[in-house]
Amino acid sequence: MSRTVVVGLDGSNWRLLEPWLDDGTLPNLAALREESSWAETESCLPPVTFPNWKCYSSGKNPGKFGVYWFERVDLAAGEIEVTNGADFETLELWNYLNDEGKRAGVVNMPTMYPPRDIDGPVVAGGPDAVEGEYRSISGGYATPEGLADDLEERFDYRVHPDPLLSSNEETGAEVDAILDLLEKRFEVALALLEEEDLEFVHVTLFYLNVLQHFFWNDEPTKRAYEIVDEWVGRIDEMDETNLVIMSDHGCAPTTTEFYVNEWLAENGYQTRSTSVDSVLQKVGIDRENVLAAAKAVGAVDLLATVVPERLQQLVPQSAGLKRDRKLEAMDLAETKAVASGQGPIYLNPAFDTEAVREELIADLKAVADDHGPLFDGVYRAEEVYEGPHLGESDAPAVVVDQRDGVHVNDGVGGGDVLAGPDRWRAENTRNGLFLASGPDFQHRGELEQISITDMAPTLLGAAGCAVPTDMDGDVLPILAGEKAETVETRDPLSPDAAATDRDTDGVENRLKQLGYME
C-alpha cells in the first residue's frame, strides 16, 4: 500500500529554482525532476497565501468558498475584517480521504487556524496563527488536544521563528531561526507519517516565501532551498511513497510598488478624512520604526505584553493604514471604491456600481510605469470567479492581475502612487510549480501548464478516492496503472463537516512586521 507526502513550497517557482538546478546546488530536486511529471502552475487571483492554499486543498476557486484575500471588505456594512480559517466554507482533500477510510495529516498549513478536526493530526501555520501584533502563538494551533505540547516538548516546535525576520537587513539570527524551523517542519511531518500510520501527509514551508520577499534569490534563500533539497532526497528514498512538490504561487523581483488606494483617491474614487495616523506619519512614527527600536533593545516581548493592542493599532505602517483602519481615513459616503492588496477591489453600493466598475476598469488598464502597463489583466469578478459566494456583499467587483514585479500595496495615507521597491525585494506571481513522483504516478516529464485547482482531484485519484463534483480542477493524466482508468466522481460532503469556531481574537492582529499584508 503506497502513501503520499506533499511538500508545499510557499511562493516557489521554476524561475527561482532553475539556476540552482542547473549549477548543481539542488541535486536531488534536479534528479527528481528528470524522473517525474512536472509543470508550471497557474494560481487563482490574487496570487497570494489567502486564498491559494485553500484553492489547492479544496480544488476550487475563491467564489466557491468566499475568501479572496487576507481581509473581508463589506462596504455596504462599512466594515473590514481579517479573515481566518473559519471563513473558508469548503471541504478539503483530507476530508475526502478520511471519508474513504484513509488517515491524513496536515503540518504548518496556512488557512487552517483555528485548526479543524480530521482523522489525523493538524498543525496550523503562518501567517494567520498569531496572538497579537508582536507576539507569536503559544498554543491552540494543533489538533488533537495535546499535540502542540507534544511537538514543543519533542521537537521544540514553533509556528513562527524567534527572532522574527522583518527586514532585508536582518541576515543573521532571524534567518537562522527560519532555517531551523524548516528542518523541524520536515522532522515533524515524517514523524507523524510513521507514528500515526498516515496514508497522506502535507507539510507547508511558509517561511520560504518570507525569505524570498526580503532577499529574492540571495544567500539566505539559497540556504533554505539547500535544506529543502536534502529532505526531498530523503523522502524520495522512502519505500512505496509518492512525493509531490507544489507551491501556492510563484515569485519574481519587485520593480514597482503601486499604492492602489492612493491612486483611487487621486482619481476621484475615494474621499479622505483626517485621522490621528496622519499626525504620527508626519513626525515619522510608524510601526516598522517602533518594531526596529524594540528589537534593538530586546523589548519586543515587553512591547507585546505592556502596550494594549488598541494602542499598538494606532501606530500606522510606513505604507499607510491597513485593514479596518483604512476606512477611518475615508469619508465612506463619498467613496466609490476601496482596494485590498494584490488584486481585489470593492465598490460602494450607494453608487451606480456598474457605471463605476466600467470606468474603473478602463482607468486601471491605462496605468503604466517605465516597464509598461502595471496589469496583465483587469477583470470583472465574474470573469475570474464562479460560485455561490460571488454575489455576496463582501465579494470584490474588480480584480487586477498584477504584472510580474509589480506589488499592489493597499496602504492608505502614504502619499505615493508609484514608487520603487519598498520592503520586499520579490513579490508574488501567478506561476508556481508542481512535481509528482512515486509508485502512483507516471514519469511523463514536463506537462502543459496546470491549474492549482487540479492538484486536489489528482491527489484523490492517486489515493484511489472518488473526486467530488464541486471541485473545479481536473485529474491530471499522470496516474499510473489501474488508477489511471478508474477515477470516479462523487457527491460533495456538506461544508458543515468542516465547520469550526471563528476565533477573531486569536488572529485579529497579523504579523505586520513581515509586511505580509502589504
Side-chain angles (χ1 to χ4, degrees):
M1 177 71 70
S2 60
R3 55 190 180 174
T4 297
V5 177
V6 179
V7 178
L9 308 178
D10 198 297
S12 187
N13 57 4
W14 299 119
R15 174 178 181 171
L16 172 65
L17 298 189
E18 278 178 342
W20 297 330
L21 298 177
D22 293 340
D23 69 8
T25 299
L26 306 177
N28 293 316
L29 279 165
L32 190 63
R33 196 169 75 159
E34 289 295 318
E35 302 171 353
S36 68
S37 296
W38 61 278
E40 181 179 75
T41 64
E42 183 174 64
S43 303
C44 295
L45 290 174
V48 68
T49 295
F50 276 37
N52 272 285
W53 279 113
K54 204 65 82 183
C55 296
Y56 147 71
S57 62
S58 70
K60 301 175 185 176
N61 81 92
K64 289 187 175 178
F65 51 68
V67 175
Y68 305 92
W69 199 63
F70 291 109
E71 63 188 16
R72 185 185 70 84
V73 179
D74 188 342
L75 297 185
E79 62 185 22
I80 299 177
E81 294 181 343
V82 170
T83 52
N84 75 358
D87 293 308
F88 292 88
E89 297 184 24
T90 186
L91 274 293
E92 299 169 78
L93 69 94
W94 23 87
N95 299 111
Y96 289 98
L97 290 167
N98 287 172
D99 196 56
E100 299 204 26
K102 300 178 185 295
R103 302 196 73 229
V106 187
V107 177
N108 197 51
M109 179 76 166
T111 74
M112 292 287 281
Y113 182 79
R116 298 177 175 182
D117 288 322
I118 66 171
D119 182 14
V122 172
V123 184
D128 44 316
V130 295
E131 286 185 340
E133 188 70 25
Y134 306 106
R135 185 185 301 128
S136 186
I137 194 165
S138 58
Y141 58 83
T143 60
E145 186 176 354
L147 177 59
D149 291 339
D150 182 57
L151 297 182
E152 290 166 14
E153 180 178 348
R154 294 173 58 196
F155 299 97
D156 192 25
Y157 189 86
R158 294 173 178 264
V159 175
H160 303 291
D162 184 17
L164 188 69
L165 177 65
S166 58
S167 84
N168 45 34
E169 298 176 356
E170 298 168 340
T171 59
E174 291 83 358
V175 170
D176 291 339
I178 290 177
L179 301 182
D180 180 62
L181 283 196
L182 299 182
E183 298 268 15
K184 286 180 169 53
R185 306 305 188 219
F186 280 112
E187 291 174 9
V188 167
L190 297 186
L192 292 175
L193 177 70
E194 301 291 350
E195 296 169 7
E196 297 290 330
D197 195 24
L198 304 177
E199 294 174 71
F200 178 98
V201 67
H202 171 100
V203 56
T204 304
L205 306 180
F206 168 74
Y207 275 94
L208 276 178
N209 200 40
V210 176
L211 292 174
Q212 290 154 191
H213 280 318
F214 286 123
F215 304 110
W216 174 224
N217 60 359
D218 278 354
E219 193 65 21
T221 307
K222 181 179 179 181
R223 291 171 62 194
Y225 276 97
E226 289 173 334
I227 291 172
V228 171
D229 188 74
E230 179 182 349
W231 281 94
V232 163
R234 296 184 197 179
I235 298 169
D236 188 42
E237 293 177 354
M238 295 166 60
D239 293 335
E240 291 301 307
T241 302
N242 300 309
L243 172 58
V244 174
I245 301 172
M246 49 75 62
S247 66
D248 55 335
H249 54 76
C251 57
T254 308
T255 59
T256 303
E257 294 262 346
F258 176 64
Y259 293 85
V260 58
N261 283 308
E262 298 301 278
W263 180 90
L264 289 170
E266 188 175 278
N267 286 272
Y269 293 99
Q270 285 182 11
T271 300
R272 297 290 170 80
S273 58
T274 303
S275 69
V276 65
D277 308 85
S278 59
V279 177
L280 294 174
Q281 287 171 324
K282 287 179 181 178
V283 296
I285 297 177
D286 60 48
R287 200 162 304 183
E288 290 79 5
N289 291 339
V290 171
L291 179 61
K295 276 189 169 185
V297 297
V300 174
D301 290 340
L302 179 64
L303 176 69
T305 303
V306 174
V307 180
E309 292 287 345
R310 66 181 183 276
L311 294 183
Q312 294 179 28
Q313 289 297 304
L314 286 177
V315 182
Q317 296 182 59
S318 61
L321 303 184
K322 301 284 182 174
R323 293 183 300 154
D324 57 312
R325 304 293 322 281
K326 293 188 289 193
L327 296 184
E328 295 178 16
M330 299 177 194
D331 181 347
L332 188 56
E334 300 297 325
T335 290
K336 300 175 182 178
V338 177
S340 294
Q342 298 163 302
I345 302 175
Y346 302 80
L347 301 183
N348 188 342
F351 295 85
D352 182 345
T353 54
E354 279 307 308
V356 171
R357 181 161 74 162
E358 293 308 304
E359 180 182 6
L360 178 59
I361 288 173
D363 288 345
L364 285 168
K365 286 181 176 179
V367 179
D369 62 6
D370 293 341
H371 304 279
L374 293 191
F375 309 116
D376 290 336
V378 182
Y379 302 104
R380 300 169 184 82
E382 60 270 22
E383 293 178 304
V384 294
Y385 303 135
E386 180 270 323
H389 293 280
L390 188 55
E392 295 176 351
S393 61
D394 58 354
V398 174
V399 183
V400 302
D401 183 4
Q402 56 192 27
R403 186 190 74 217
D404 287 3
V406 172
H407 174 39
V408 175
N409 192 314
D410 68 321
V412 170
D416 292 330
V417 172
L418 282 174
D422 184 15
R423 299 175 66 198
W424 283 0
R425 285 190 54 197
E427 167 59 319
N428 300 346
T429 69
R430 200 172 179 186
N431 300 125
L433 57 77
F434 173 83
L435 180 153
S437 180
D440 292 320
F441 295 106
Q442 301 177 43
H443 297 166
R444 295 193 56 197
E446 184 175 7
L447 309 173
E448 295 292 327
Q449 185 183 69
I450 70 169
S451 168
I452 192 171
T453 61
D454 294 333
M455 298 181 195
T458 300
L459 289 167
L460 288 173
C465 297
V467 177
T469 55
D470 64 344
M471 285 189 173
D472 293 323
D474 297 317
V475 177
L476 298 172
I478 61 174
L479 302 187
E482 294 181 359
K483 291 181 178 179
E485 308 296 331
T486 59
V487 178
E488 299 179 350
T489 59
R490 58 166 294 167
D491 291 335
L493 296 169
S494 167
D496 293 340
T500 187
D501 293 332
R502 190 178 194 282
D503 181 11
T504 54
D505 291 338
V507 295
E508 186 68 20
N509 299 298
R510 305 289 180 178
L511 296 178
K512 296 284 198 325
Q513 55 269 50
L514 290 175
Y516 209 76
M517 289 189 67
E518 294 186 3

